[in-house]
Amino acid sequence: MMVYVDGMTLDIVNMPRGGPDASWLDRRLQTNRLEYLDRDDVDDLKQKVVRSLDRAGRRRFFGAHAKLAKMALDEVADVPSPKILELGAGLGGLSRKLLETHPTAQLTVTDIDPTFVAAVAADDLGSHPRATVREMDATAIDAPDGAYDLAVFAMSLHHLPPALAAQVFAEGTRAADKLLVIDLPRPPAALHVVVLAAVLPFTGIPLAHDGVISSLRAYSPSALRAIAHHADPAITVEFRTRRSGPTVAVASRASKKATRPGDPEPDPVGLA
């Protein structure tokens, strides 16, 4: 499904995580509290969480890395040797799976956290012939326009407030032909309350602590549409979300889409 948002004016800074049309209850199911992954004063806990997430992603049958890699490669199935930029790569599990799955893909593996970048550079990705490891901010991508076929931002957008999330959409669709955002789903408000009630007793566990906060900070599809439109009205969003899966959004700029053979030339003054 492709979604266009026309004529929307929005206070992006104060937009609810459930989007401009969020219900009263949904607007209260959010928080500005930081996860351990977002803090610089709890390095041990931060490392425990990121390593736990990486181990979970690498599980043979239930790991997320393989599933996310397939989603990403589906978006560049028509590109023989795709250039892919992973933003917020953490310890690089998704990039490893992309390189393993696609024999000619070229990966730029990035994260804003220098500790994670150093760990990835010192590991196998640092010496992989088809990988480049760099420190990079997803809201200010250090790359020319259209340098990549695909930019991937997986399980990370919820860490950012709406205004910075809009910068990710702006930068991702500038530096790449497509921006693939995969993130936690935001449940319907009533179900969200039930899920939170079940998990809250376990928040003494670092991973559960971050999981609860992530859930409260997750964006709805409505919010993602609004964020993309705020970034640039020329950005269109297609959703690939499946039932019981993560939220999957593909953003691109209509102005960057190549004209197919036989299509009429664009009319620059709108007189056609």
Side-chain angles (χ1 to χ4, degrees):
M1 177 178 64
M2 183 174 290
V3 181
Y4 294 89
V5 182
D6 295 318
M8 181 181 293
T9 58
L10 180 69
D11 176 6
I12 195 70
V13 172
N14 297 309
M15 186 194 72
R17 297 285 175 137
D21 56 350
S23 67
W24 175 89
L25 179 57
D26 196 5
R27 289 168 186 261
R28 280 148 185 80
L29 293 173
Q30 63 181 57
T31 182
N32 291 323
R33 187 172 181 178
L34 297 179
E35 300 173 44
Y36 292 135
L37 281 176
D38 300 316
R39 293 170 57 180
D40 296 323
D41 60 333
V42 287
D43 190 59
D44 288 346
L45 289 171
K46 186 174 184 176
Q47 293 297 326
K48 285 181 181 178
V49 171
V50 75
R51 286 191 169 86
S52 294
L53 291 171
D54 188 61
R55 283 195 300 272
R58 287 188 279 110
R59 288 175 182 165
R60 184 173 180 183
F61 296 109
F62 301 102
H65 294 334
K67 296 175 183 177
L68 301 187
K70 184 180 185 307
M71 293 177 193
L73 293 177
D74 284 347
E75 297 301 324
V76 288
D78 58 342
V79 182
S81 299
K83 295 181 179 179
I84 302 174
L85 169 67
E86 187 184 1
L87 303 162
L91 296 182
L94 173 55
S95 284
R96 284 187 184 85
K97 184 57 67 173
L98 287 167
L99 289 166
E100 175 188 318
T101 306
H102 198 296
T104 59
Q106 300 175 53
L107 267 292
T108 301
V109 189
T110 73
D111 199 281
I112 195 173
D113 190 311
T115 304
F116 297 161
V117 174
V120 172
D123 208 339
D124 56 321
L125 283 177
S127 58
H128 196 289
R130 290 186 284 118
T132 302
V133 180
R134 296 185 56 191
E135 184 178 337
M136 192 180 292
D137 186 343
T139 68
I141 297 173
D142 182 15
D145 293 0
Y148 297 96
D149 299 296
L150 180 70
V152 183
F153 200 43
M155 300 302 175
S156 297
L157 193 74
H158 64 274
H159 292 282
L160 303 178
L164 288 180
Q167 289 180 228
V168 173
F169 273 84
E171 282 289 275
T173 56
R174 175 194 65 77
D177 293 340
K178 294 180 182 179
L179 169 67
L180 173 63
V181 174
I182 307 172
D183 211 348
L184 299 171
R186 186 172 185 85
L191 176 60
H192 204 169
V193 171
V194 174
V195 172
L196 290 170
V199 178
L200 280 172
F202 303 99
T203 53
I205 302 170
L207 196 59
H209 169 275
D210 274 20
V212 167
I213 296 176
S214 294
S215 175
L216 292 170
R217 297 176 72 182
Y219 289 109
S220 70
S222 171
L224 294 179
R225 295 181 193 120
I227 287 168
H229 184 79
H230 178 83
D232 189 334
I235 296 175
T236 59
V237 181
E238 299 177 54
F239 286 92
R240 312 268 199 260
T241 306
R242 296 182 179 180
R243 182 174 296 182
S244 302
T247 296
V248 183
V250 180
S252 59
R253 293 177 188 260
S255 60
K256 290 178 64 176
K257 292 181 178 178
T259 302
R260 296 176 183 175
D263 284 352
E265 291 294 323
D267 178 14
V269 293
L271 297 178

